[in-house]
Amino acid sequence: MTLHIPFKNTYVNLPNRLFSRQKPYPVRDPKLLAFNQPLADMLGVTGTDDAQELAQVFSGTSLPKGAAPIAQLYAGHQFGNWNPQLGDGRAVLLGESNGYDIQLKGSGPTPYARRGDGRAWLGPVLREYVVSEAMHALGIPTTRALAAVQTGEEIMRDRPLPGAVLTRVAASHLRVGTFQALAARQDTEGLQTLMEYACARHYPEADTPAAFLKEVVKSQALLVAKWMSVGFIHGVMNTDNCTISGETIDYGPCAFMDAFHPGQVFSSIDRHGRYAYGNQPQIIAWNMAQLATSLLPLENNSDKAVEEFTHIINEMPGILRHHWQDHFAAKLGLSDTSDSDEALITQLLAIMTDLKADFTNSFRHLTDSSVPETELTPHKDYAAWHEKWAARTAQQTIDPQNVMRQANPYIIPRNHQIEAMISQAVSGDFTLFHGLNTALEKPFDTIAEHGDLTTPPTAEEKVTQTFCGT
Ligand code: AMP
Ligand code: MG
């Protein structure tokens, strides 16, 4: 049986200034490293039993029937600085299947590549595969990974490294930066078409720019609250890495925190901590303000629109805080929450900050009543906090542990384990890669054989920086 992808491509019907036709480049010796069969099923992809054929197609070496490959245009604010022309420099969208984008990343240069080689090396491809699928299993909206293929070619980074291609699946690849690109070109007609397209794909109820903005704000507020609830730091929340759909995109210098600190930064290029863990709520509102600005030309009465859009943006912190409270309350076993629970949450986070406690394990140990002594026990405020918490959970009829087991993962993809997996993969051994993928399919289950994944890094293993050099 041959591979069949039921493509129904809509983006190519948009004004052609939004993209460039671009075929992926063939690679020398494609080898399939991973294929996500459940995701393929969701996409309606059939005939997936021939690994060699999958390697050919998902390396970009042979084009599947029905594909209409394009590189998408976008712009964006990178670390707050305006860049009028970004775009897919090393990715092509093959088309859409069951409403989802199927995109090859690392498939060769495009007209937007500037000086880049259009390629990706194995490390970031495997990192994105593992982390994006783990995010999905954690219940966090995200782009997904359909396939990882090694190219059999070496690419030059700080040293020669094995090349690879990731197949990314997304509800769409529309970004805040896509809107910014058209707004900057004063292309009001294109903006209107793009907004209608985005609404049709993601927010069919929205019928005005304000309604559309409100929906994106709601999705992104929920997303960032979810990130916070698992200790996730995106690392590069530029407006081009901020989706309209509300999915997490672009797993470059991202990381899950081990030791808790709100000021934690990982990205080697984030020198001023713009994208630190605790800054993410402010940054997402800033990004939404950029979206609002780019939608202004769609309104005839700009004074009224400024007022209305400002109101929507000003409401975002409250919406996010509400989700944040809900998610952290669940982490404490509370099925519903009120403002008075906020102190309970912030006091615990303060204790964790003081102790540099492991974020995931602290919450998981609270969840698991068979762990009476936790790493939080030594803190002078912990006993009093614990008493207050016990009194609060006693007010509800449901068992707090039932709520907590769904809210506090047993395992997350820890950075040092990802790094170990990448080093091993570069030497040709994919045992850790497959092991991580399998374990992270069920992050909330206490499975003894995955116990090593709960271990925080030793001082030598600690990853203090992640790199964009992808
Ligand atoms: P990112 O930091 O991954 O969000 O990428 C920022 C921009 O750089 C995007 O326009 C990418 O397409 C582009 N880019 C990143 N790496 C490469 C590469 N190796 N070749 C061409 N373009 C790249
Ligand atoms: Mg990006």
Side-chain angles (χ1 to χ4, degrees):
M1 206 159 110
T2 51
L3 182 70
H4 174 69
I5 306 176
F7 283 116
K8 227 167 128 188
N9 305 328
T10 60
Y11 208 83
V12 285
N13 297 327
L14 290 175
N16 59 16
R17 51 199 186 275
L18 273 163
F19 58 86
S20 300
R21 301 257 178 196
Q22 177 66 56
K23 286 194 179 116
Y25 289 80
V27 303
R28 191 166 53 211
D29 184 19
K31 192 176 128 230
L32 189 69
L33 301 175
F35 186 71
N36 190 337
Q37 188 61 50
L39 182 58
D41 294 342
M42 188 196 82
L43 295 168
V45 175
T46 56
T48 56
D49 44 352
D50 181 350
Q52 194 47 44
E53 187 185 12
L54 295 178
Q56 293 277 333
V57 168
F58 295 111
S59 61
T61 306
S62 66
L63 207 58
K65 206 165 155 243
I70 56 170
Q72 292 173 309
L73 168 78
Y74 51 85
H77 280 93
Q78 299 178 301
F79 291 90
N81 302 310
W82 173 241
N83 190 331
Q85 175 117 354
L86 289 160
D88 294 329
R90 53 162 170 175
V92 294
L93 177 66
L94 290 179
E96 300 134 49
S97 185
N98 264 357
Y100 286 86
D101 282 5
I102 302 182
Q103 188 201 59
L104 303 179
K105 189 172 168 186
S107 55
T110 77
Y112 313 116
R114 290 164 293 162
R115 284 182 299 278
D117 62 359
R119 290 294 178 188
W121 76 272
L122 185 63
V125 165
L126 298 185
R127 170 190 287 270
E128 177 158 348
Y129 196 104
V130 169
V131 183
S132 67
E133 284 303 302
M135 289 286 267
H136 174 72
L138 287 164
I140 300 176
T142 176
T143 64
R144 301 204 47 199
L146 179 64
V149 180
Q150 200 160 347
T151 60
E153 296 171 1
E154 280 200 329
I155 60 168
M156 204 49 205
R157 290 298 179 257
D158 53 338
R159 62 199 156 105
L161 287 162
V165 176
L166 178 83
T167 304
R168 178 161 71 182
V169 169
S172 83
H173 283 83
L174 292 169
R175 305 149 191 265
V176 170
T178 320
F179 285 82
Q180 289 182 291
L182 293 182
R185 288 160 179 73
Q186 299 181 332
D187 182 353
T188 309
E189 202 184 306
L191 264 179
Q192 180 67 32
T193 306
L194 185 68
M195 188 194 72
E196 285 168 14
Y197 177 82
C199 287
R201 261 184 104 162
H202 303 299
Y203 307 110
E205 311 282 285
D207 53 2
T208 62
F212 169 63
L213 176 64
K214 218 176 205 164
E215 292 303 320
V216 182
V217 162
K218 281 201 287 198
S219 302
Q220 284 290 344
L222 179 61
L223 178 66
V224 173
K226 284 181 178 290
W227 289 352
M228 305 295 279
S229 76
V230 292
F232 181 74
I233 303 170
H234 182 281
V236 52
M237 289 175 73
N238 296 334
T239 57
D240 53 304
N241 294 333
C242 184
T243 57
I244 295 303
S245 66
E247 291 177 317
T248 313
I249 195 170
D250 219 317
Y251 291 86
C254 66
F256 284 77
M257 256 188 301
D258 298 296
F260 181 70
H261 196 290
Q264 176 75 55
V265 175
F266 282 101
S267 170
S268 59
I269 55 172
D270 190 1
R271 289 199 189 86
H272 305 291
R274 179 181 170 90
Y275 299 141
Y277 172 80
N279 270 1
Q280 297 183 122
Q282 285 94 292
I283 291 295
I284 196 62
W286 192 89
N287 286 353
M288 290 298 101
Q290 306 317 309
L291 177 62
T293 304
S294 66
L295 294 174
L296 277 177
L298 296 179
E299 294 281 6
N300 295 327
N301 183 338
S302 67
D303 286 347
K304 188 166 152 275
V306 166
E307 199 177 311
E308 196 176 6
F309 290 4
T310 304
H311 179 71
I312 293 168
I313 300 301
N314 285 345
E315 283 197 320
M316 188 180 197
I319 299 171
L320 202 154
R321 183 165 159 211
H322 189 79
H323 289 306
W324 180 90
Q325 275 178 2
D326 277 352
H327 281 74
F328 276 84
K331 291 176 83 66
L332 293 181
L334 306 177
S335 58
D336 58 69
T337 177
S338 61
D339 279 346
S340 60
D341 291 325
E342 187 163 329
L344 204 58
I345 300 165
T346 52
Q347 281 161 15
L348 181 67
L349 293 177
I351 291 172
M352 287 169 55
T353 308
D354 283 351
L355 294 174
K356 299 192 172 65
D358 186 83
F359 183 82
T360 306
N361 290 349
S362 293
F363 280 105
R364 190 69 187 192
H365 291 162
L366 278 180
T367 306
D368 195 347
S369 46
S370 69
V371 185
E373 292 273 310
T374 78
E375 58 186 297
L376 304 180
T377 312
H379 195 281
K380 64 175 172 46
D381 299 333
Y382 184 68
W385 179 85
H386 197 275
E387 209 169 296
K388 253 196 283 182
W389 175 52
R392 174 65 181 88
T393 52
Q395 289 168 4
Q396 53 179 33
T397 47
I398 52 146
D399 180 357
Q401 248 105 48
N402 286 344
V403 181
M404 294 172 82
R405 267 192 289 272
Q406 309 301 315
N408 296 317
Y410 174 63
I411 51 172
I412 41 125
R414 290 180 187 269
N415 226 343
H416 67 294
Q417 286 150 353
I418 299 271
E419 292 303 322
M421 173 276 284
I422 291 172
S423 308
Q424 192 194 50
V426 169
S427 74
D429 181 350
F430 295 89
T431 313
L432 287 174
F433 171 64
H434 294 302
L436 276 174
N437 279 326
T438 306
L440 289 162
E441 275 173 24
K442 291 192 162 63
F444 295 102
D445 294 0
T446 305
I447 297 172
E449 69 180 283
H450 301 152
D452 53 335
L453 297 178
T454 67
T455 315
T458 61
E460 300 80 64
E461 284 175 327
K462 207 170 267 176
V463 177
T464 53
Q465 290 197 328
T466 56
F467 296 90
C468 242
T470 52

